[in-house]
Amino acid sequence: MYAPSPFLLVKDTPYASYSVAATRLTGGMINFVWRLEDAQGHTVVLKYASDVMSAYPNAPMSIERLEFEVRGLCLLNGPHFLAPSLSETPHLRVLAELGMLMPQTPGIHVPRLLHYDSKRHFVVLEDLGSLQPYNEWNSPEQPARSLEDLVFVSRCVGQWVARLHGFGAGHMHKLLPYFVNTPAREFVGSVFYDILRKRIAEHPLLMHDKCGLVKAVDEFVEQTQHADAASKTMLFGDLWSGSVLFDPTKRTVNIVDLEFADTGLIFADIGHFAAHLLPTHFLCNASYDPATDPCPEPTIAFLRAYKETLQKEYPEAYHRLVTPEAARLSAVFFGMEIARDVLTGYWCRCGKSPSPENGEFPLSCECAGLLLPYAARFIR
C-alpha cells in the first residue's frame, strides 16, 4: 500500500529540518507512523492517516479519524501546550481552553500535539522515546515485571479515566458538538460486532450456544445505541493495552492514540481496558485459570482506582454513570472483547496456535478452551 514520504510531508512545515533520518514505528494497526530526526539528534513522531488501515490494506477506514485525535489531544494538552499554528483554529482553541478545567493525574502523560495538516492528513507529535506498549512490556518474552509496577500502571490509568469521565459528564453540552465520532462507531460496528457474530457462529467451542451468544451481542448493540443521554460522557474510545506506554525510569504512564475519542457509555473504556489486563496476566502466568483463580491484582487496581476516584471527586457523575446497568454492559463488553481477540488469534500462551501476524485464525488450542467459555459467561 502506498504511503507518502515522511520527508515530503514535513517539507513545508516548521519541522522540515527533521529530514536526516526516518524510522518506521510499529505497534499500531491503523496509521503509518515514523520517528523523524534532525541534524542535532532531536526527534519527533509523524503520524499519517490513509483511507485504509496500514496493517490491513483491504480494510477501509475514514481519514476523519485524525481530526478526532487532534480534537482529543487539544482537549487533553490544554492551551499552554497548544502549538501556535493550532491556536489559530477556533474549535481547537475552544477545546484546549476547556481542557484547562480538567484535573491532571500524577504519573499520566499525553503526548503534545506539535503540528496538524488537515489537508494532507498527518500530525507531528512529541516523541516519547523507545517505550514499549503495555502488552509488549508485560509479556512472556520480557523479564517478569514487579507487581508494584503493574499495579502502578493500572491505578494511574484508572484514576485518569475516572477524571476524564467525571469531567466529561459535567461538560457534555460543550463536548458533544466536537465528539460524535461517527467514523469510529461505524468501524466498531463492522469490524468488531460483525466479525464477533460470524466467528462465534463458527467456532466449535461455542457451537452449542452460538444462537444465544449472537442474540446477546445483538441485544447489547441495540441497548447501547439507544442509551439515555444522561448516562453518557467523554470517552478515550479505544483504551487497550497498546495505547498505554510505561516509562519505568520516569515512572510515567503515557496514553497515546485518540482516533476513537468519542462520547458514549463507560463500558467502551472500562470493559475494554479490563479485557486486556486480564488476558495479559493469563499470558504471563502459565498456571492461571480465569475460571477458578482470583481476578488479577492489576485488573482489580484499575477498577478500584476508577471507582474510588470518580466517587470521591465527581459524586454526581458517579451516580449517573456507574449504575447497575452500566456495570452489566461493561461486563458484557469485557467478555465480548476477550472473545473477539481469541477468535482473531490472540492470547495463546501454549505456542500451539499460529501468531495473528501470520493471518487471523481463531485459537483452537487449550488456551481457547480456557478463555472462550470464561468470556461467554459475561456475554450471556
Side-chain angles (χ1 to χ4, degrees), residues 44 53-56 97 145 150 157 195 206 228 242 255 316 336:
V44 294
M53 295 178 65
S54 61
Y56 301 97
E97 290 176 351
R145 304 305 179 184
L150 297 174
V157 175
I195 290 177
L206 302 175
D228 181 6
I255 309 288
E316 182 179 345
M336 291 196 301

Side-chain angles (χ1 to χ4, degrees), residues 109-121:
H109 178 72
V110 176
R112 183 184 175 192
L113 174 63
L114 303 174
H115 183 78
Y116 174 40
D117 190 320
S118 61
K119 295 182 179 179
R120 293 188 292 169
H121 319 299

Side-chain angles (χ1 to χ4, degrees), residues 188-203:
V188 170
S190 61
V191 173
F192 184 88
Y193 296 123
D194 289 351
I195 290 177
L196 179 62
R197 293 184 188 98
K198 179 177 182 292
R199 294 188 175 177
I200 283 175
E202 295 173 346
H203 201 283

Side-chain angles (χ1 to χ4, degrees), residues 115-362:
H115 183 78
Y116 174 40
D117 190 320
S118 61
K119 295 182 179 179
R120 293 188 292 169
H121 319 299
F122 73 90
V123 293
V124 179
L125 302 166
E126 169 193 2
D127 185 10
L128 300 174
S130 300
L131 300 177
Q132 293 177 304
Y134 181 91
N135 55 316
E136 295 179 12
W137 170 75
N138 181 33
S139 72
E141 291 75 30
Q142 299 292 334
R145 304 305 179 184
S146 71
L147 182 60
E148 178 185 2
D149 281 352
L150 297 174
V151 168
F152 175 80
V153 173
S154 294
R155 186 182 298 120
C156 284
V157 175
Q159 292 170 345
W160 181 78
V161 175
R163 293 184 176 114
L164 176 68
H165 289 180
F167 170 83
H171 295 85
M172 275 292 285
H173 62 293
K174 296 180 180 179
L175 293 167
L176 204 53
Y178 305 105
F179 291 104
V180 178
N181 197 336
T182 301
R185 297 176 190 184
E186 291 175 348
F187 179 81
V188 170
S190 61
V191 173
F192 184 88
Y193 296 123
D194 289 351
I195 290 177
L196 179 62
R197 293 184 188 98
K198 179 177 182 292
R199 294 188 175 177
I200 283 175
E202 295 173 346
H203 201 283
L205 284 175
L206 302 175
M207 291 293 286
H208 69 287
D209 194 22
K210 66 178 182 179
C211 293
L213 291 171
V214 170
K215 181 181 178 182
V217 173
D218 290 339
E219 290 175 347
F220 176 89
V221 173
E222 179 69 19
Q223 290 165 1
T224 54
Q225 286 179 343
H226 298 91
D228 181 6
S231 60
K232 296 181 180 181
T233 187
M234 182 70 202
L235 302 174
F236 181 87
D238 188 27
L239 189 62
W240 68 299
S241 52
S243 298
V244 175
L245 287 70
F246 178 51
D247 186 334
T249 302
K250 296 181 180 178
R251 306 297 293 170
T252 301
V253 180
N254 300 277
I255 309 288
V256 300
D257 298 336
L258 282 102
E259 293 96 339
F260 285 68
D262 200 358
T263 47
L265 304 176
I266 65 171
F267 75 81
D269 286 343
I270 303 306
H272 198 176
F273 194 60
H276 284 263
L277 288 175
L278 185 139
T280 299
H281 181 83
F282 173 87
L283 279 188
C284 296
N285 295 270
S287 63
Y288 180 72
D289 183 345
T292 57
D293 293 335
C295 184
E297 288 191 51
T299 309
I300 293 174
F302 165 68
L303 296 172
R304 181 176 292 150
Y306 176 80
K307 177 183 177 181
E308 292 177 352
T309 303
L310 190 63
Q311 192 172 32
K312 178 181 179 181
E313 299 181 14
Y314 298 93
E316 182 179 345
Y318 175 82
H319 290 295
R320 281 170 44 200
L321 300 178
V322 187
T323 63
E325 178 64 2
R328 186 188 70 81
L329 292 173
S330 296
V332 174
F333 193 77
F334 169 82
M336 291 196 301
E337 176 69 12
I338 293 177
R340 199 270 313 206
D341 279 350
V342 172
L343 295 170
T344 307
Y346 292 92
W347 307 128
C348 174
R349 70 183 180 194
C350 67
K352 297 178 182 178
S353 290
S355 166
E357 296 174 358
N358 301 319
E360 293 187 353
F361 301 100

